[in-house]
Amino acid sequence: MTDSLLTNTVFSLRLRAQQTSKPLATRLRTFLAPYLWAGAGDGEPDLCVDLHAADEFLPEWRVRCITPMTIRETYAVGFTLKVLRGTLDDDTQLAWDAQTGVGYRYSVSRREVAFYGDEATAFIHLIELVRYFGLLVEQAKGTAILHSSAVLDEKTGGVIAIAGIKGAGKTTTMLELVLGQGLRYFSGDKLLLDVVDGRLRARGWPDYPHIGLGSLRQHPALIERLGSQADAALDPARADSDKILLTPEAFAGAVGRSPVGSGWLERIVLPEVAVDRALSTRALRGEDIDDLLRDPRIFEWPHTFITSTWHGMPPADRAMERRVAAPVGAALATLPWISMPGRAALAHA
């Protein structure tokens, strides 16, 4: 059995794998890197996951699973996750997805999950368990979760957040900065913000890329590097607004993996690519920034996600609010916020 502790200094995961589950464990660790890294074994982890082969989820456990529950429902292919729930006589909780052959046997109070599944079918279940519970722990500990892509300016070492509501153009802007302006990819669709030593720290978070064809079509070389995964971008019958899933491995191979999982936040860019005019930039005033910080739409609130809370493991039992922690809000108010409506290529400010 392999046993490792992965952490980003706020959320920590104890991962154990039987010999038969080592490929799944390796893929998970690759997916989480560099946002979770190997840590010391001191202290209690927030979540323990033991990986087992799918056929080790016993038939007598499966028949106990009779109550349907949807863990996640989405139009992204493969990410709608449904299970049947059940309970053993000792109050151990069970969940079973017969379609994918994925089983869960877990203790709510101890936050320990025995996870049963094979690499070919279980990966999405596993990453959703880890990343959404991790976000819930982050929120409970005061982290602000910005709905944001992000890039790294290696000249300054600073992180640039590209924030906004769905459809604002976060991915389009991020790809332009990485592929057209020479910055480094840092994070896909979430940025974790907290204050460390008086400065605003930004930590990336792993995602499974879901990218619009219009964004891809602006970068023919990227389509070529992605190969068959991006064939839809070459189909003129497919609309620019259509989105496709790319495997994390393919996306990292084409765009590059972030060299670090953490950095200091330098500024926040707010694209609006749907605005039908030439690109312009405007530094927001203090009152505009205050309004944005009070607007819950550019932040994410995991306590409202069933994917984060379905199992009931603490802190899923805690009452939380849609409110940015005061130290994070105060630090965000001191940074430059740049409004960038329009459709031209983004110049590096």
Side-chain angles (χ1 to χ4, degrees):
M1 174 187 288
T2 60
D3 188 334
S4 56
L5 182 74
L6 303 172
T7 185
N8 63 3
T9 74
V10 178
F11 170 67
S12 60
L13 167 71
R14 171 73 66 188
L15 181 66
R16 303 186 184 97
Q18 308 292 334
Q19 183 66 32
T20 55
S21 299
K22 284 185 178 180
L24 183 57
T26 298
R27 191 178 183 195
L28 176 63
R29 283 193 293 266
T30 300
F31 175 75
L32 297 175
Y35 310 117
L36 295 180
W37 53 86
D42 298 335
E44 288 292 322
D46 297 293
L47 178 66
C48 294
V49 177
D50 292 349
L51 301 181
H52 302 265
D55 58 10
E56 294 179 30
F57 194 78
L58 301 178
E60 53 264 38
W61 299 341
R62 299 180 193 183
V63 299
R64 294 272 189 141
C65 298
I66 57 175
T67 304
M69 167 170 274
T70 298
I71 294 176
R72 189 178 185 194
E73 191 156 19
T74 175
Y75 61 87
V77 177
F79 278 81
T80 291
L81 305 177
K82 298 183 178 184
V83 295
L84 296 173
R85 301 272 309 267
T87 307
L88 295 178
D89 292 340
D90 63 358
D91 289 332
T92 297
Q93 300 298 302
L94 301 171
W96 170 244
D97 179 349
Q99 183 176 353
T100 59
V102 169
Y104 301 77
R105 183 172 56 87
Y106 61 97
S107 165
V108 169
S109 61
R110 294 195 302 272
R111 292 177 296 183
E112 296 177 350
V113 180
F115 180 90
Y116 300 80
D118 297 327
E119 183 187 6
T121 58
F123 186 61
I124 293 175
H125 262 286
L126 181 59
I127 64 173
E128 299 301 76
L129 169 68
V130 170
R131 67 176 180 160
Y132 276 95
F133 184 71
L135 290 174
L136 184 69
V137 170
E138 291 276 357
Q139 182 190 1
K141 294 183 179 182
T143 300
I145 300 158
L146 190 65
H147 193 191
S148 172
S149 296
V151 296
L152 178 70
D153 186 339
E154 293 186 296
K155 293 179 181 178
T156 65
V159 174
I160 302 167
I162 307 159
I165 62 175
K166 184 177 180 180
K170 297 182 292 297
T171 301
T172 298
T173 304
M174 179 271 289
L175 289 176
E176 171 60 26
L177 287 170
V178 172
L179 301 175
Q181 303 294 330
L183 278 72
R184 291 293 297 271
Y185 173 80
F186 184 76
S187 191
D189 68 350
K190 294 175 179 57
L191 202 59
L192 311 183
L193 305 177
D194 58 1
V195 174
V196 176
D197 297 330
R199 301 179 69 183
L200 196 57
R201 180 176 67 164
R203 288 170 289 122
W205 196 246
D207 75 318
Y208 204 111
H210 195 213
I211 297 182
L213 296 183
S215 297
L216 286 176
R217 285 167 176 159
Q218 295 179 40
H219 302 284
L222 174 60
I223 295 174
E224 184 176 354
R225 290 200 293 271
L226 288 168
S228 61
Q229 292 215 13
D231 281 349
L234 304 175
D235 182 355
R238 298 288 297 271
D240 283 350
S241 57
D242 289 352
K243 287 191 171 186
I244 59 172
L245 285 165
L246 304 172
T247 64
E249 296 89 345
F251 184 78
V255 174
R257 192 178 295 277
S258 175
V260 293
S262 176
W264 303 115
L265 187 62
E266 192 172 274
R267 64 183 182 273
I268 302 97
V269 171
L270 301 166
E272 296 177 70
V273 298
V275 174
D276 191 15
R277 71 182 192 213
L279 180 70
S280 61
T281 64
R282 176 175 66 91
L284 297 188
R285 297 173 300 177
E287 56 265 35
D288 298 325
I289 296 171
D290 289 342
D291 287 343
L292 281 167
L293 291 174
R294 287 192 293 267
D295 185 345
R297 294 177 299 168
I298 67 166
F299 295 94
E300 297 195 359
W301 312 98
H303 74 285
T304 67
F305 302 161
I306 190 65
T307 317
S308 292
T309 61
W310 68 270
H311 38 65
M313 292 187 295
D317 58 344
R318 281 182 49 184
M320 298 185 220
E321 297 180 340
R322 299 187 187 207
R323 182 180 300 172
V324 175
V328 177
L332 279 168
T334 68
L335 293 178
W337 291 64
I338 312 297
S339 173
M340 305 192 78
R343 296 184 179 179
L346 178 65
H348 184 197

